[in-house]
Amino acid sequence: MIVSHRHRFVFFAVPRTATHAVRAALADALDPGDWRQEALTERVALPVPALARLGHGHISLLQAHAHLPGSICRDYFKFAFVRHPFDRFVSVCAMLNRRDPEYGGRERAFMKRAIARPRFRARVLVRPQVAMLTAADGDLGMDYLGRFETLQHSFDEVCDRIGLGRRSLDIRNAAQHGAYRDIFDAELGNSVAAFYREDFARLDYEVPACV
């Protein structure tokens, strides 16, 4: 998460949607008094104890509403990026297995076991995207939702909205993986589609034909 008091925006970092690239591109626009929270490449926390204790930067809108000053959640420009649920799930699994040399070639088996486990589904990296972006009234609470599939264009629009000059995004923290179409079969596709049904419905992604 980034909270910029200077530019009056809040960036909600949905896992595996190029959050590190966005953070890096915004870094030179932040003042010393602006707030950040992340844990993977840099240990830095918001000056809000309840959120700092989470130990990661993937803070949901409901958590922000509960612990940030009301004026920030009400008046600042809130944005995030989303990604096709199947593609994002493959990226999550690849990142979680990035140090396992035997993961390649058995991705489908791992994914089938993982998606069936409640503990895995509850992980911050895995949870549905809408769970991070929904307000207490049930509506998506972002002022802008960009798309991973058109990332640079979406980020350009964000820069225009928050009054920054456009800047190019670099590739950061990318996971090496194949396309979901080469990994999923109907059984896995149905399981993943069921878990992310709200993401498909509310973020306007189509469930692929393989399921």
Side-chain angles (χ1 to χ4, degrees):
M1 169 177 272
I2 297 174
V3 179
S4 174
H5 304 296
R6 177 186 178 188
H7 295 286
R8 297 174 63 82
F9 72 75
V10 184
F11 167 52
F12 287 84
V14 177
R16 309 312 301 165
T17 62
T19 59
H20 290 274
V22 173
R23 286 187 181 116
L26 292 173
D28 66 355
L30 302 181
D31 279 348
D34 288 340
W35 300 349
R36 295 181 298 136
Q37 183 154 317
E38 60 179 290
L40 183 58
T41 59
E42 187 175 0
R43 296 280 176 176
V44 58
L46 296 174
V48 181
L51 296 179
R53 283 194 295 269
L54 294 174
H56 60 76
H58 304 298
I59 296 166
S60 72
L61 180 61
L62 287 177
Q63 290 168 326
H65 277 164
H67 300 292
L68 292 181
S71 58
I72 291 177
C73 294
R74 182 181 64 247
D75 300 332
Y76 285 23
F77 178 73
K78 299 176 291 295
F79 70 95
F81 297 87
V82 296
R83 185 173 183 175
H84 190 287
F86 280 14
D87 188 41
R88 180 172 167 269
F89 183 74
V90 170
S91 179
V92 166
C93 293
M95 195 196 76
L96 292 174
N97 288 278
R98 62 191 182 280
R99 294 188 179 91
D100 182 356
E102 298 182 358
Y103 177 66
R106 60 181 182 87
E107 297 96 334
R108 183 185 300 163
F110 171 87
M111 292 177 190
K112 286 183 177 182
R113 291 194 303 272
I115 197 66
R117 296 199 297 265
R119 186 173 178 180
F120 178 86
R121 296 197 302 268
R123 296 186 67 155
V124 170
L125 293 177
V126 179
R127 63 186 176 182
Q129 296 166 89
V130 295
M132 280 196 65
L133 307 173
T134 302
D137 62 5
D139 291 336
L140 293 175
M142 296 295 107
D143 298 304
Y144 180 87
L145 277 179
R147 295 203 171 240
F148 181 88
E149 295 78 15
T150 56
L151 185 61
Q152 186 63 60
H153 173 74
S154 292
F155 186 65
D156 287 345
E157 291 191 336
V158 167
C159 290
D160 293 344
R161 295 282 294 273
I162 63 179
L164 294 181
R166 294 184 178 185
R167 67 259 335 258
S168 296
L169 293 170
D170 297 325
I171 296 175
R172 303 276 182 128
N173 196 39
Q176 300 300 313
H177 58 80
Y180 69 79
R181 292 179 179 85
D182 298 328
I183 300 171
F184 281 29
D185 59 12
E187 177 188 359
L188 178 58
N190 282 323
S191 297
V192 177
F195 180 62
Y196 290 117
R197 59 185 177 276
E198 289 295 309
D199 281 0
F200 278 109
R202 304 190 67 189
L203 301 178
D204 198 28
Y205 284 105
E206 292 187 6
V207 179
C210 69
V211 301

